[in-house]
């Protein structure tokens, strides 16, 4: 079963969005990736089953990844958004196919 992402949208620079991802049956590490037009898909943040987190430098201090193991969901709270955050965001779990992603567009 592939992940199902939601929560994307259009927001002005400085605004916030909260992305969610439903991944049934998975208890392993979860990651958020993003892919901007013309660029390669890149890791944004990850969280282990025990709750340890990692963020790339671009988003550290602005984004927060969290998970609810009981609900099999992982979220990405994105604050102080910048136009360069514009991308399709995907959550990823080892062994599962990529989902459809959710579009985030930040206007200047």
């Amino acid at each position: 079963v592939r992940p199902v992402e939601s929560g994307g949208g259009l927001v002005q620079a400085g605004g916030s969005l909260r992305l969610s991802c439903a991944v049934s049956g998975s208890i392993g590490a979860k990651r958020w990736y993003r892919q901007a037009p013309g660029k390669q898909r890149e890791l944004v943040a990850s969280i282990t089953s025990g709750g340890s987190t990692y963020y790339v430098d671009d988003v550290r201090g602005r984004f927060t990844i969290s998970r609810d193991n009981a609900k099999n969901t992982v979220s990405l709270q994105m604050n102080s958004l910048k136009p360069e955050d514009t991308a399709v965001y995907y959550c990823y779990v080892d062994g599962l196919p990529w989902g459809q992603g959710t579009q985030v567009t930040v206007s200047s």
Side-chain angles (χ1 to χ4, degrees):
V1 179
R2 63 182 70 237
V4 179
E5 302 94 341
S6 62
L10 172 63
V11 64
Q12 289 187 331
S16 298
L17 283 174
R18 185 177 180 86
L19 307 183
S20 293
C21 176
V23 187
S24 73
S26 171
I27 62 173
K30 295 178 172 60
R31 305 175 181 87
W32 282 98
Y33 284 78
R34 66 185 178 188
Q35 187 166 19
K39 295 187 177 181
Q40 290 188 331
R41 196 168 297 185
E42 62 175 359
L43 177 66
V44 175
S46 65
I47 186 166
T48 67
S49 57
S52 296
T53 57
Y54 166 81
Y55 301 92
V56 296
D57 288 345
D58 283 354
V59 308
R60 189 173 295 117
R62 300 188 296 123
F63 291 9
T64 302
I65 189 171
S66 60
R67 63 188 292 164
D68 185 329
N69 291 333
K71 296 181 179 179
N72 287 322
T73 59
V74 58
S75 298
L76 187 68
Q77 177 66 42
M78 306 186 296
N79 299 329
S80 302
L81 283 162
K82 305 175 181 179
E84 50 264 44
D85 294 318
T86 295
V88 178
Y89 285 71
Y90 303 86
C91 74
Y92 180 76
V93 179
D94 289 341
L96 296 182
W98 291 95
Q100 296 293 321
T102 186
Q103 175 71 48
V104 171
T105 303
V106 184
S107 63
S108 57

